[in-house]
Structure formats: structure tokens, C-alpha cells
Amino acid sequence: MYPRLVIDLKKVKNNLDRITEMVKGSGCSLMIVTKGASADMEVYKLLNESDIDYIADSRIQNLKKYEGTGKERVLLRLPMNSETDQVVKYADISLNSELKTIRNLDEAAKKQGKVHKIILMIDLGDLREGIFFKNEDEIFNAVEEILKLKNIELFGIGVNLTCYGAVIPKKDNLSILVEIARKIEKKFGIKLQMISGGNSSSIHLIGKGELPEGINNLRVGEAFLLGGETAYSQKLKGFFDDAFTLEAEIIELKEKQSVPIGETGVDAFGNKPVYEDRGIIKRAILAVGRQDADPDGLQPIDSKIDILGASSDHLILDVSKSDREYEVGDIVSFKLSYSSLLRASTSGYVAREYR
Ligand SMILES: *Cc1c(COP(=O)(O)O)cnc(C)c1O
């Protein structure tokens, strides 16, 4: 069955071992984030047997699949008020920034006879989730209210960076998170178990020894799955960037010119494409499209192939320069970016093959 996502479990395991050494070696606990591969169950088995501390995902449906795991399950996306019962049922910990939601989680936990742990998110300037770090009164008020709730435990605080604002974690901004934690602990006479210093974009600080003291957890998805840190897009040494690859089949192979004929308007997605005149080229059409993968995030493993464009169900390649004589029915393989992996693992049209 093609297209298919090929998952090399030995390479996944290698990446898991490397990221565990790195993050736990730096004194942090490790939360592995599984949303990038849509909670693949073979990958989950590796995680469940590993030394990681937490298993995290943005979707409650994915955490539900991990029922019976020995790891604590963490919901990363702020809970919807409409799903608080499910959140308490399938997650041990959730990331939060809204008191209304936290109160609803408390109600749900009370009904289920549980204590639900939360990480209060602080926004250090990336402008996605969290209470803005400059609004200290709002932070302290939230803590005060949370501490009144009997079925909620304030487990810690956390930050997310390099997601909306593309802000890079540094010693100075992450130090602010540690300062806020210390202020909360002093003001309320409590101990915060977790100070979670971000995602794969914080990994670069470990190598430089610049992860501020006090940060004791990282939440890592992309670096584990694809072997790269995400602050400066550097490949990580000893990791594989091809643990996940995409394979698709050639359904047409013809020599044609490279510039369309006739007046051009917009393509199937409303964009006005520009065409480079490459003369007559050997064009391969693959049975894979935007519905299956993000074409901008595909990198042909045959480096002499160029991607020319894509529509919903087709990917168009220039294979003129390749050393291989491709034929209709041949399979072409690609490395994937995060967005491509996310889409390929989500698409119901992409099969999975394990090696
Ligand atoms: C997705 C996500 C992560 C993991 O991000 P990576 O860049 O894949 O490591 C961590 N924290 C939150 C809140 C997330 O939504």
C-alpha cells in the first residue's frame, strides 16, 4: 500500500536513547511528546519500556490510547472546558492558564475521586499560551485561587517558546521562569515540583551548559522524532533524521516542458505559482499530495530529484538529473519535516510500515 510512512523502530529507539542521555544527563526530567507521529502505537511501546518520565500529547484522544501505561500522561494543549471530564480521566497532568478551566477540572476530579495535577503556563513573550510574565499580580492571584481547590494540585509552572512568536529560549528568558517559581514558592510557602523549560527549541542550551539552574523538565517531540533541535534547526549529533520516511509511487513519467502553456491564473489552492523554465524535463507524478504530506517539508532521498509542485493528490517531480532511470510503478522516498510527518501520520490515506 502506498503512500506509506516507513518507521524504522531501531532508529527511533536510538533517538530515544540519545535524547534521554542528553536531557536526563542535564538534570532534567524528560517528557516525550508524541503528537508529531499521531500517537503511533509501536513508538509508544518503545516509550513505555524506556526510562522517560512522562508521556505527553496535545490531544486527549491520543492519551486515551495509552491507558495502562506506567508513565504519567500529560495533556499539552490547554483543556477545553467541554472535555474536562475526559482530561481528568485520561491525563494525570495538564497544562493550564485559565482559572475557569482549572475550576472545571477540580469539579471533574472531585466527581471521579481524583486529584488532578496542573502545570500553570507562563508566557515569556512567545505569545501563545500562558499568563504574561509581566503581570505578576495575575500570576499570584491564579496561584492563590488554585491552592484553594481540593482536587487540583499545583504541580509546577512551565513555558512554551518558539511556537507562535518564534522566540528562542535563552539563559535570560528562562531564568525569569525560575525567578517566578521561586517567588511563588516564597509567597505561598509551597514547593513546585516541576519547572518545565520548553520544547525541542531548549535543547541547544544543554550542549552549551546554559540551561538555567532550576529548570528541571523539558518536553521533547521533534528532536526525538526527527533528530534536530529547533531553535537554530541544527541536526543533533548521534541522532537519525530518517527514522520516519515517506514512500510514494510514480503514476506518470513523461518528458514535457517546464512552463505551462496559456494564460495562468491561480492553482488549485488559490496561489499564483511561478514557473522556472528548465526546458524539456523528465517529469514524474507521484500518487501522494497535500492531503497526505506537506510538500514543502519533503526532501527526496535521491538528492538529484527536485520537487516542482503539488496538488491535493499529486506530487510533481523533475527527475531529469537523477542517476536512476525511473519508471512508472517505481517508489520514491523522502525525509520529512515536522509538518510533513504530522500530516502523513494523521492522514487516513497513508499506510504505515515498520522496520
Ligand atoms: C508540541 C508541544 C511540545 C513539543 O514540541 P517539540 O518542538 O516537538 O519538541 C512541547 N510543549 C507543548 C506545550 C507543545 O504543544
Side-chain angles (χ1 to χ4, degrees):
M1 275 277 293
Y2 295 94
R4 68 184 187 184
L5 191 59
V6 178
I7 305 178
D8 186 324
L9 292 169
K10 280 205 193 72
K11 290 183 176 176
V12 174
K13 173 75 168 63
N14 170 83
N15 287 1
L16 181 60
D17 291 344
R18 295 291 84 74
I19 198 71
T20 304
E21 280 166 14
M22 245 179 123
V23 173
K24 299 195 77 160
S26 76
C28 285
S29 63
L30 174 60
M31 199 182 281
I32 286 285
V33 176
T34 60
K35 66 189 188 216
S38 304
D40 182 88
M41 289 310 276
E42 295 301 316
V43 173
Y44 161 69
K45 283 182 199 160
L46 293 177
L47 297 175
N48 201 32
E49 291 162 5
S50 73
D51 290 333
I52 68 165
D53 304 286
Y54 306 90
I55 186 161
D57 205 284
S58 50
R59 311 270 171 163
I60 202 70
Q61 294 97 320
N62 288 348
L63 293 182
K64 187 176 173 183
K65 286 165 70 181
Y66 303 152
E67 237 184 334
T69 174
K71 310 290 177 192
E72 283 202 288
R73 287 178 287 178
V74 183
L75 181 67
L76 294 172
R77 187 169 67 184
L78 305 180
M80 296 181 254
N81 276 275
S82 57
E83 67 178 355
T84 46
D85 285 336
Q86 303 272 92
V87 173
V88 168
K89 193 160 178 202
Y90 300 117
D92 302 290
I93 304 173
S94 60
L95 275 42
N96 283 273
S97 68
E98 291 287 353
L99 271 176
K100 179 178 174 185
T101 311
I102 296 167
R103 289 198 178 101
N104 278 326
L105 287 168
D106 180 56
E107 281 297 312
K110 193 168 164 186
K111 268 192 292 184
Q112 294 178 38
K114 284 186 176 174
V115 172
H116 181 75
K117 297 177 189 172
I118 64 164
I119 308 283
L120 186 64
M121 295 303 281
I122 309 293
D123 179 358
L124 295 180
D126 198 60
L127 304 181
R128 206 178 76 177
E129 71 272 50
I131 304 178
F132 200 58
F133 73 105
K134 290 187 180 170
N135 303 342
E136 283 202 345
D137 287 348
E138 190 184 345
I139 296 172
F140 292 145
N141 175 61
V143 171
E144 189 173 345
E145 293 301 312
I146 291 163
L147 293 177
K148 288 179 190 162
L149 303 172
K150 291 208 165 54
N151 296 76
I152 295 290
E153 176 187 340
L154 180 60
F155 191 61
I157 65 172
V159 65
N160 198 55
L161 291 165
T162 339
C163 267
Y164 173 73
V167 171
I168 290 178
K170 293 264 172 77
K171 191 160 191 170
D172 51 3
N173 53 14
L174 285 186
S175 296
I176 296 173
L177 187 71
V178 179
E179 277 166 34
I180 292 171
R182 298 301 171 238
K183 281 185 192 164
I184 291 171
E185 290 180 331
K186 191 152 173 249
K187 192 170 167 72
F188 295 95
I190 57 171
K191 173 92 186 111
L192 295 173
Q193 300 299 317
M194 183 180 280
I195 306 178
S196 185
N199 54 45
S200 296
S201 67
S202 294
I203 296 287
H204 75 102
L205 294 170
I206 295 177
K208 301 176 196 151
E210 282 182 16
L211 197 65
E213 196 170 325
I215 299 288
N216 66 5
N217 171 266
L218 293 176
R219 312 179 304 271
V220 182
E222 185 166 347
F224 153 63
L225 296 167
L226 295 173
E229 64 81 31
T230 56
Y232 302 102
S233 307
Q234 297 300 308
K235 211 179 158 303
L236 291 166
K237 224 192 265 159
F239 286 65
F240 289 106
D241 64 356
D242 59 353
F244 297 82
T245 50
L246 183 74
E247 293 184 345
E249 183 174 333
I250 299 177
I251 53 173
E252 184 187 293
L253 188 75
K254 293 197 186 301
E255 295 208 344
K256 295 184 194 173
Q257 61 188 52
S258 38
V259 179
I261 296 175
E263 186 189 346
T264 55
V266 292
D267 68 12
F269 286 84
N271 304 311
K272 201 166 171 54
V274 272
Y275 301 96
E276 180 193 344
D277 191 352
R278 299 171 174 229
I280 303 286
I281 55 172
K282 216 187 286 172
R283 305 163 67 90
I285 302 180
L286 300 191
V288 68
R290 290 182 187 273
Q291 194 162 9
D292 313 296
D294 174 6
D296 298 328
L298 292 175
Q299 187 192 335
I301 289 177
D302 178 344
S303 61
K304 293 182 175 165
I305 291 179
D306 291 323
I307 297 176
L308 297 175
S311 55
S312 317
D313 309 291
H314 301 85
L315 187 71
I316 302 163
L317 308 179
D318 177 356
V319 297
S320 315
K321 286 178 269 160
S322 177
D323 300 325
R324 186 171 152 194
E325 275 298 322
Y326 287 98
E327 288 177 28
V328 169
D330 281 353
I331 303 302
V332 181
S333 301
F334 302 86
K335 287 188 197 175
L336 301 142
S337 71
Y338 188 76
S339 66
S340 250
L341 176 60
L342 185 68
R343 207 179 295 170
S345 63
T346 307
S347 172
Y349 302 104
V350 177
R352 290 188 200 190
E353 159 87 5
Y354 299 93
R355 298 222 167 115

